[in-house]
Amino acid sequence: MKHWNIKVQGKVQGVFFRASTKAVADQLKVKGFVMNEPDGSVYIEAEGDVFALESLIDFCQEGPEHAEVAHVGYEESDEIKGFRNFEVIKKIK
């Protein structure tokens, strides 16, 4: 089990990026959350096995149909949070 913090930049808000990410995460059995950030990016915290997380990154590099992904950055965290499911957080911090 790994925990990755992922930031996706580009035209990634208003294009169903969060909902699409949840659908992919659910298929991969990845747990965590996705949310919009005030700077226009999307932030994801994800937990799962390496293959599932790499597959999630592959999706993030493309995104849904109308997204224009400019950059995907991620880092591994030592802290496993034990998320129960994958959720979309609707409100910007």
Side-chain angles (χ1 to χ4, degrees), residues 1-3 30-31 45-48 53 79-83:
M1 172 79 73
K2 300 283 186 184
H3 179 108
V30 170
K31 311 296 186 202
E45 287 195 24
E47 293 181 351
L53 293 173
E79 182 183 2
I80 302 297
K81 296 185 178 177
F83 297 113

Side-chain angles (χ1 to χ4, degrees), residues 15-55:
V15 294
F16 298 102
F17 202 100
R18 291 175 301 163
S20 300
T21 301
K22 177 177 173 31
V24 170
D26 287 347
Q27 283 183 324
L28 295 169
K29 296 184 175 31
V30 170
K31 311 296 186 202
F33 67 85
V34 58
M35 62 184 282
N36 286 340
E37 292 279 51
D39 66 0
S41 68
V42 168
Y43 177 71
I44 303 163
E45 287 195 24
E47 293 181 351
D49 64 47
V50 172
F51 175 78
L53 293 173
E54 287 174 347
S55 297

Side-chain angles (χ1 to χ4, degrees), residues 4 19 22 39 47 55 59 61 66 76 78 86 88 93:
W4 287 4
K22 177 177 173 31
D39 66 0
E47 293 181 351
S55 297
F59 164 76
Q61 290 173 336
H66 297 291
E76 186 173 332
D78 292 333
F86 195 92
V88 174
K93 285 181 188 175

